[in-house]
Amino acid sequence: ARYPSENFEPSHISHFNQVGREVEVKGVVVRDPQMIKDKTRFVFDVRSIRVSQHIEYQTSGPLLITLRDQARVPVMYGEELILYGQIFAPRNERNPGEFDYAQYLAFQNIYGLMYLREPAQINTTGRTEANPILKYFIHPIKHYVLDLNNSSLSPLSASILTGLLVGERGEIPSEVLEYFSYSGTIHILSISGLHIVFITALL
């Protein structure tokens, strides 16, 4: 479902998309951060949200976090962080047939976005919850595939193959994503990625 508020429990992070002001969220980086040109992007599994000085809720669900400008501080998979920012709902298609970003993220179970520009908006607790198999085995394989694609293929081919193989879609041009959307195959960029790496590792 694209809009989760009717389907998810009341504590789900999607219910806080319309607060309209900055909030404090505490959680864990659950995917390897992507370095994309002028930004860093990662999936953040929220454990609690503070909407005011005296009101805090235990919650759940992922946010897609984008770091820009001075906020591009080093962030590692498995880190527990406290972030300060406003949560936004992904926009849906504005015109019929246009690339539907909200639906694209919904395939990945992501229903909220946060954009950060200042280092003060990011604090670490010093705790980690990294899966050692991901950190020491799966992610090194992923980075090897990234480097191999980038060194062997044209930028466009590398971006598409990287999206299919390891789930890194940040370098795929928006018009190419729209072609996938028009053809009804956008889901293969959402359900592939690290799943293929897991299967390869098992084999």
Side-chain angles (χ1 to χ4, degrees), residues 53-67:
Q53 184 177 359
H54 302 292
I55 302 177
E56 180 178 1
Y57 300 99
Q58 298 301 306
T59 187
S60 62
L63 293 175
L64 182 61
I65 309 297
T66 300
L67 308 182

Side-chain angles (χ1 to χ4, degrees), residues 25-31 42-48 61-63 65 75-83 125 127-131:
V25 292
K26 182 178 181 181
V28 176
V29 180
V30 291
R31 294 189 195 169
F42 60 88
V43 177
F44 189 67
D45 187 39
V46 181
R47 307 294 171 79
S48 66
L63 293 175
I65 309 297
V75 175
M76 298 180 62
Y77 159 72
E79 270 193 297
E80 184 180 69
L81 303 174
I82 298 174
L83 307 178
T125 67
R127 299 179 180 176
T128 61
E129 293 185 13
N131 182 317

Side-chain angles (χ1 to χ4, degrees), residues 95-111:
N95 300 303
E98 190 178 50
F99 175 60
D100 191 334
Y101 188 52
Q103 185 67 70
Y104 171 69
L105 290 178
F107 277 120
Q108 305 172 61
N109 295 317
I110 297 173
Y111 299 92

Side-chain angles (χ1 to χ4, degrees), residues 160-194:
I160 295 174
L161 187 59
T162 296
L164 291 170
L165 291 179
V166 298
E168 296 282 358
R169 295 167 290 271
E171 297 292 341
I172 301 178
S174 58
E175 60 269 21
V176 175
L177 289 175
E178 289 182 359
Y179 295 150
F180 276 100
S181 181
Y182 295 154
S183 65
T185 57
I186 189 67
H187 62 282
I188 69 173
L189 294 176
S190 301
I191 64 174
S192 56
L194 285 180

